[in-house]
Amino acid sequence: MPHDTSWQPLPPRGALFAAAGAAISMAFLFGVASVVIMLVTQHSNWLLIPLAAAASGALLGAWFGWRRHRLTFWRLDAQSLGVRRGHMWQSESQVPVSRVQHLDLRRGPLERMAGLATLIVHTAGSRMNTVAVAGLAQADAERLRDRLARQLDHDDDAL
């Protein structure tokens, strides 16, 4: 089976989950921050300001989560698993197959309903010893896990 070495996007259906998670987090953060600011400034509008802040946070968080998901790509070649994220602030991680210790698939109830999974790659070493790729199509996550495990087994056999 030939290895596909081009960068693959995450499936679009995962963007909704990324947006929802980021929206909830940012809404909570903005809501709590507005309450703290109101306490410090002794402002008396207890309901309107935190609700407006939470709504603003939810919209901003949803946009960031959706965009982050849409700007995440992966690829697997004979030497490594690569994960690329971001547009303005880009990050790229390469996990050499020789450093892989073990692999996990995580699928929560909502991920299972959407046919998504998170692949967690545990590596040797102390810095950045796990790489998680959330929002993968379940079939892609299983294929990546199986292919990485097979490559790891072949490397072990060569020793």
Side-chain angles (χ1 to χ4, degrees), residues 17 34 50 53 70 75 80 89 97 107 114 131-132 138 146-147 150 154 156-157:
F17 291 98
S34 70
R70 300 304 298 145
R75 77 172 175 196
S80 65
W89 289 277
V97 173
R107 294 178 296 260
V131 174
Q138 185 169 338
D146 295 345
R147 208 183 269 179
R150 218 175 13 256
H154 286 122
D156 286 345
D157 291 344

Side-chain angles (χ1 to χ4, degrees), residues 24-37:
I24 291 167
S25 298
M26 193 81 75
F28 180 75
L29 178 68
F30 277 38
V32 169
S34 70
V35 169
V36 170
I37 291 170

Side-chain angles (χ1 to χ4, degrees), residues 91-138:
S91 69
E92 187 174 317
S93 301
Q94 295 289 331
V95 180
V97 173
S98 62
R99 306 276 299 165
V100 173
Q101 295 293 304
H102 67 277
L103 304 154
D104 293 323
L105 278 184
R106 186 178 64 212
R107 294 178 296 260
L110 295 176
E111 285 179 310
R112 284 193 307 269
M113 284 178 13
L116 300 171
T118 298
L119 176 67
I120 303 167
V121 181
H122 300 272
T123 63
S126 59
R127 186 176 175 273
M128 299 289 292
N129 60 353
T130 59
V131 174
V133 185
L136 285 165
Q138 185 169 338

Side-chain angles (χ1 to χ4, degrees), residues 58-105:
L59 289 173
L60 188 62
W63 183 78
F64 275 122
W66 180 84
R67 185 133 170 92
R68 179 173 169 82
H69 179 85
R70 300 304 298 145
L71 293 172
T72 300
F73 301 89
W74 62 270
R75 77 172 175 196
L76 179 65
D77 58 28
Q79 290 80 31
S80 65
L81 170 67
V83 180
R84 180 188 290 171
R85 292 184 173 98
H87 179 67
M88 288 184 71
W89 289 277
Q90 295 178 347
S91 69
E92 187 174 317
S93 301
Q94 295 289 331
V95 180
V97 173
S98 62
R99 306 276 299 165
V100 173
Q101 295 293 304
H102 67 277
L103 304 154
D104 293 323
L105 278 184

